[in-house]
Amino acid sequence: MGQQQVKEIILKIIETIAPDADLSDVKSDVRLRDQLDMDSMDFLDIVMELRKRYKVEVPKEDYMQLETLDSCAAYLAPKFEAVAAS
Amino acid sequence: MARDRLDGVRDHYDVIVIGAGLAGMTSANNLAKCGRSVLLLEQHYNFGGMATWFRRKGGHIFDISLHGFPIGMIKSCRKYWTREIADCIVQLKGIVFDNPQFQLKTPFDRADFTRILVERFGIAPETVESFFDTARRMDFYDDQSMTTRELFEKFFPGRSDVVRLLMEPITYANGSTLDDPAITYGIVFSNFMSRGVYIFQGGTDKLIQMMRQEMVRTGVDLRKQVQVERIVVEDGRACGVIANGRRISAGAVLSNANLKTTVEKLVGPEHCPDELLEETRAVRLNNSSCQVYMGIKKGERIDYIGDLLFTSVSDVFDTKAMCARDVTSRTFSMYYPDTRPGSDRYAIVSSTNANWNDWANLSPEDYQRDKAHLIETTLAALEKYVPDIRSKLDHVEASTPVTFHHYTQQMHGSTFGTKFEGLKVSMDLPNHIPGLFHAGSVGIIMSGWLGAINYGVIVANELETYMFEQARTGGHDDTISTTEPMRS
Ligand SMILES: Cc1cc2nc3c(=O)[nH]c(=O)nc-3n(C[C@H](O)[C@H](O)[C@H](O)COP(=O)(O)OP(=O)(O)OC[C@H]3O[C@@H](n4cnc5c(N)ncnc54)[C@H](O)[C@@H]3O)c2cc1C
């Protein structure tokens, strides 16, 4: 799975977590927390949705990999591939 | 023969949740939504735990813990429950302070606290700004050695009146004291005192009814009046419970009972690693409460005097005095008819912090005498705000730490579970006993309605991770990563 696709998946998840957030102009390299008023419960929601929808598990020590869309993509793309391959 | 409350219950579930408090229900619902089979067992005849209510003859209905919660509740209810539940949350606009140091009314938000601190208390705007920002930025990962007292001393040296304004509501909201870590104050303060106080319109009964319906929809097997007697631990792993005398097995067990009860009673010392037992025994409980419930006669009305009144006759703010039996501080929650739209009834609930030991060991006569005294002094104090209260009410009764313990089995009737150190023990539990999780009031951040709900989600996520790992490794991997709690 490409990095662009991962970003779209993350944005789709954020849309369900924060339906009122404006996602039209989210910058890939800026912390999501700083752009979208997200707190740590929201990040936990992303982790739970990734597991529920895609069977992708993000261990606690890696939560900070979800800081920006770019870091999400870089970190998650191989994980999506591993799940697809198994 | 008594009805079998476990009729139709299967022999095995993915998860058994012990206790239907807000944390337990939220975990159960969350896990069911993840596709797990979940059995929820509650000993009481209502779901909700401390989030509860009761009815009395004459059409009275009283809420126990619906006095106010932070705005974050809206988001959490929408995400973890339903939009309908979130849509019932409304702001309380009139928060009143009345004590020998000051009298004021505020919507309880940052803008108004700033105005009050600058105009009434003569604090420099930059100091107020910087205090709010410092509190806002505080994070669980910050230094924990600074106490709340030191935090205040740093920003408002010698100003006991300012400390009172900023601290008294928090002490009521979660029993914390000036000796608790500053970060716990900062986190709660930012949640609570920066954007107002909210309640659930429709009353606790409606909320719990809506949650119950949602759990039916998500497929949780709900059972009440079922006492869990033991958590079954085999080969060091939690694998089920014994409830109403019957053994039911499970892939994992999540306890919403008090943390100390969970470890010391439900698991029991014989199945506990020594280290866990020692740590649990060292965890302190929070204080409990007394309440007086006053039901206003049908047809009578009360003028609007504010929604939540923090009153005190004590010269200065003092958390010890706030718990003493000789009560000097009371919070009055005013329930006007719009608390339950469609109703025309009024009720007032007075809450005070209280100590278990002051009430638990009294003779029946002394207990009744002290309760009567509590009611009498409460009415006398309320007359200042509602002068003809005595002629307007036709029902009054009191509850004590013993009452709370009786109905919820919360250890020592603790209003907010354990103190801060309980969080670490709660989070570490699955590392000591794989398959056993705890979600319930532990410390300041993870208690209250919002804290309980959020903690329920955090622990459900831990449990899902565990089940996920179990499935992946076929149950052979017993190392689980420790968790750092989240800032909520
Ligand atoms: C007087 C009072 C006023 C409060 N005011 C507020 C307020 O204004 N705002 C706010 O946010 N919070 C308030 N709170 C606190 C808030 O209500 C609690 O922090 C929260 O409801 C706790 O939820 P919980 O899930 O952690 O535990 P609990 O509500 O204690 O739930 C635990 C449940 O487990 C059940 N249980 C225990 N042991 C067993 C067993 N062995 N078998 C089966 N079931 C078992 C109990 O019956 C109970 O239902 C107040 C509390 C009190 C007492």
Side-chain angles (χ1 to χ4, degrees):
Chain A
M1 181 177 294
Q3 301 216 349
Q4 191 50 37
Q5 262 170 299
V6 174
K7 289 183 195 173
E8 278 159 25
I9 285 174
I10 295 295
L11 283 174
K12 238 193 228 108
I13 291 176
I14 294 177
E15 203 179 311
T16 59
I17 298 167
D20 305 325
D22 176 11
L23 302 180
S24 56
D25 191 26
V26 177
K27 299 201 178 40
S28 270
D29 55 348
V30 177
R31 280 167 28 137
L32 289 164
R33 187 186 282 273
D34 295 339
Q35 305 180 69
L36 295 171
D37 187 30
M38 291 172 68
D39 59 22
S40 42
M41 287 305 290
D42 296 319
F43 283 90
L44 185 62
D45 294 332
I46 297 181
V47 170
M48 293 191 293
E49 288 303 316
L50 284 170
R51 183 193 305 120
K52 208 167 15 175
R53 297 187 196 182
Y54 304 99
K55 306 240 172 301
V56 167
E57 179 70 29
V58 181
K60 194 118 345 83
E61 55 276 16
D62 292 345
Y63 281 6
M64 67 279 191
Q65 305 284 352
L66 306 179
E67 258 195 340
T68 68
L69 278 184
D70 282 343
S71 67
C72 281
Y75 171 74
L76 291 171
K79 289 201 162 251
F80 274 100
E81 259 148 43
V83 171
S86 71
Chain B
M1 215 184 96
R3 180 164 156 213
D4 178 11
R5 297 283 169 187
L6 291 174
D7 189 32
V9 162
R10 312 199 318 240
D11 290 330
H12 181 87
Y13 290 80
D14 291 336
V15 187
I16 295 175
V17 177
I18 305 168
L22 290 174
M25 291 195 294
T26 306
S27 298
N29 194 45
N30 206 282
L31 291 162
K33 282 199 274 188
C34 290
R36 301 291 170 192
S37 62
V38 181
L39 175 65
L40 176 58
L41 300 174
E42 166 58 47
Q43 56 85 22
H44 193 43
Y45 54 80
N46 275 331
F47 295 114
M50 298 282 197
T52 197
W53 70 96
F54 62 89
R55 294 171 199 278
R56 286 293 181 260
K57 266 212 238 34
H60 299 294
I61 177 158
F62 298 103
D63 296 286
I64 309 299
S65 62
L66 182 63
H67 310 286
F69 44 70
I71 190 169
M73 216 20 208
I74 298 178
K75 198 165 145 190
S76 286
C77 283
R78 183 177 48 66
K79 290 195 299 186
Y80 311 126
W81 287 98
T82 64
R83 171 155 302 266
E84 290 69 34
I85 291 177
D87 285 347
C88 293
I89 295 171
V90 295
Q91 189 178 1
L92 293 177
K93 295 275 169 54
I95 312 302
V96 174
F97 288 81
D98 183 25
N99 61 59
Q101 286 173 295
F102 53 85
Q103 293 80 42
L104 53 90
K105 189 164 163 185
T106 168
F108 219 74
D109 55 28
R110 178 169 178 160
D112 203 54
F113 275 120
T114 304
R115 180 189 66 76
I116 292 168
L117 286 167
V118 173
E119 289 174 14
R120 303 256 320 244
F121 291 75
I123 307 289
E126 310 79 65
T127 308
V128 178
E129 197 71 357
S130 136
F131 174 77
F132 267 100
D133 288 342
T134 303
R136 170 112 233 132
R137 269 200 309 276
M138 283 186 167
D139 205 280
F140 194 83
Y141 307 100
D142 292 352
D143 172 27
Q144 292 179 23
S145 61
M146 186 193 239
T147 65
T148 307
R149 188 191 311 281
E150 288 160 357
L151 174 73
F152 284 131
E153 203 46 40
K154 183 168 158 204
F155 284 91
F156 313 108
R159 292 299 298 265
S160 71
D161 53 345
V162 173
V163 172
R164 182 173 213 160
L165 174 71
L166 296 175
M167 186 67 189
E168 201 161 50
I170 302 296
T171 299
Y172 273 117
N174 61 32
S176 61
T177 71
L178 290 169
D179 298 315
D180 284 316
I183 54 154
T184 63
Y185 174 81
I187 293 171
V188 174
F189 175 84
S190 308
N191 276 342
F192 209 59
M193 294 182 80
S194 63
R195 293 171 72 189
V197 181
Y198 293 76
I199 65 155
F200 186 86
Q201 196 169 39
T204 316
D205 45 329
K206 179 173 177 189
L207 170 69
I208 300 303
Q209 162 78 356
M210 289 171 95
M211 288 182 164
R212 212 184 59 82
Q213 279 167 358
E214 173 65 4
M215 287 189 288
V216 168
R217 193 187 70 76
T218 58
V220 179
D221 193 346
L222 297 166
R223 303 289 168 144
K224 49 189 183 181
Q225 287 176 282
V226 177
Q227 180 75 41
V228 173
E229 288 125 19
R230 299 292 295 197
I231 292 167
V232 181
V233 178
E234 276 172 6
D235 302 328
R237 232 169 237 283
C239 56
V241 302
I242 296 177
N244 285 10
R246 179 175 154 193
R247 178 171 170 163
I248 310 163
S249 84
V253 174
L254 188 154
S255 172
N256 177 216
N258 178 286
L259 174 67
K260 290 165 83 80
T261 313
T262 300
V263 173
E264 294 170 30
K265 299 243 168 65
L266 296 177
V267 173
E270 63 280 23
H271 296 291
C272 263
D274 292 342
E275 194 191 341
L276 170 63
L277 205 57
E278 268 164 45
E279 280 181 11
T280 308
R281 285 185 173 144
V283 172
R284 296 160 302 159
L285 290 168
N286 257 313
N287 61 262
S288 184
S289 308
C290 285
Q291 289 187 315
V292 178
Y293 312 93
M294 291 157 278
I296 307 301
K297 280 181 206 158
K298 192 166 178 61
E300 286 283 0
R301 55 185 310 280
I302 291 173
D303 292 335
Y304 181 78
I305 53 166
D307 298 296
L308 191 57
L309 283 60
F310 293 105
T311 74
S312 174
V313 293
S314 173
D315 287 335
V316 289
F317 168 72
D318 171 358
T319 48
K320 271 222 187 62
M322 281 173 81
C323 283
R325 235 182 331 163
D326 174 19
V327 174
T328 53
S329 306
R330 296 182 167 79
T331 309
F332 291 109
S333 295
M334 309 292 298
Y335 297 96
Y336 303 96
D338 57 0
T339 307
R340 288 184 172 74
S343 153
D344 58 353
R345 303 303 294 271
Y346 296 75
I348 304 174
V349 176
S350 158
S351 308
T352 52
N353 291 353
N355 293 318
W356 168 256
N357 286 333
D358 287 339
W359 293 90
N361 306 310
L362 300 177
S363 68
E365 299 76 36
D366 288 353
Y367 183 71
Q368 288 311 326
R369 184 205 59 210
D370 282 6
K371 255 174 117 166
H373 177 75
L374 173 66
I375 290 175
E376 178 48 40
T377 48
T378 300
L379 289 174
L382 184 57
E383 277 176 324
K384 179 174 176 195
Y385 310 98
V386 187
D388 42 3
I389 181 65
R390 288 174 201 267
S391 67
K392 285 191 164 165
L393 52 81
D394 64 356
H395 182 87
V396 56
E397 71 178 276
S399 64
T400 74
V402 177
T403 324
F404 293 113
H405 174 257
H406 174 76
Y407 285 107
T408 66
Q409 301 186 357
Q410 190 57 258
M411 201 178 215
H412 290 188
S414 172
T415 314
F416 296 98
T418 74
K419 293 250 178 220
F420 190 54
E421 61 271 14
L423 180 56
K424 181 180 170 290
V425 179
S426 169
M427 286 260 169
D428 261 356
L429 198 53
N431 295 326
H432 292 291
I433 304 175
L436 179 59
F437 296 80
H438 173 263
S441 313
V442 273
I444 289 159
I445 317 167
M446 303 304 182
S447 59
W449 284 29
L450 177 60
I453 286 181
N454 284 349
Y455 196 43
V457 173
I458 291 171
V459 176
N461 176 59
E462 293 300 306
L463 199 152
E464 264 299 309
T465 305
Y466 171 78
M467 303 281 272
F468 201 82
E469 277 302 302
Q470 289 290 103
R472 202 176 56 84
T473 62
H476 296 307
D477 184 0
D478 54 10
T479 51
I480 310 156
S481 61
T482 2
T483 324
E484 279 300 322
M486 308 241 149
R487 176 173 172 157
S488 58

